[in-house]
Amino acid sequence: TNESGTTSCAECATGRFSSNYSATECSACQAGSYATSTAARSCESCEPGYHINKSASAYCIQCETGYFSEEGATICGLCDYGYFMIKGRCRQCDGKYEGAEC
């Protein structure tokens, strides 16, 4: 409440959100998600091939070459034996896909 007795709202910072217009506090986006804009109503999950291992993030980090992640990941990993990396995802070596690892 300000000096004139009216209530004023402040936007949530990047990496935080409020799903309720009447909320008095903003919540942090969980690890694996982000909010790039201020006044976000929700957080977005990191896309496959990206990750973030901390809360209240405004962005996700791309996995290093040769590593993958699923949607909403907090870490990146290596493909299992019999799989190879293509477009940030592990694909099974089944004749449909060909890679150096198969």
Side-chain angles (χ1 to χ4, degrees):
T1 306
N2 61 23
E3 292 175 8
S4 65
T6 59
T7 303
S8 61
C9 297
E11 293 181 343
C12 295
T14 58
R16 297 183 167 278
F17 74 101
S18 176
S19 58
N20 183 334
Y21 284 120
S22 63
T24 57
E25 294 182 10
C26 298
S27 300
C29 295
Q30 295 180 350
S33 65
Y34 67 100
T36 58
S37 63
T38 58
R41 304 272 292 146
S42 63
C43 300
E44 302 289 330
S45 292
C46 293
E47 296 177 14
Y50 290 79
H51 74 287
I52 192 69
N53 64 359
K54 64 179 184 172
S55 61
S57 183
Y59 58 88
C60 295
I61 301 167
Q62 188 171 12
C63 296
E64 293 181 35
T65 302
Y67 287 78
F68 80 100
S69 69
E70 299 294 336
E71 181 178 348
T74 58
I75 61 170
C76 297
L78 292 170
C79 295
D80 290 334
Y81 180 79
Y83 289 78
F84 73 102
M85 176 68 54
I86 185 170
K87 296 183 182 177
R89 292 183 177 226
C90 293
R91 304 288 184 200
Q92 188 171 13
C93 301
D94 61 2
K96 181 177 178 183
Y97 296 103
E98 292 184 24
E101 295 84 359
C102 295

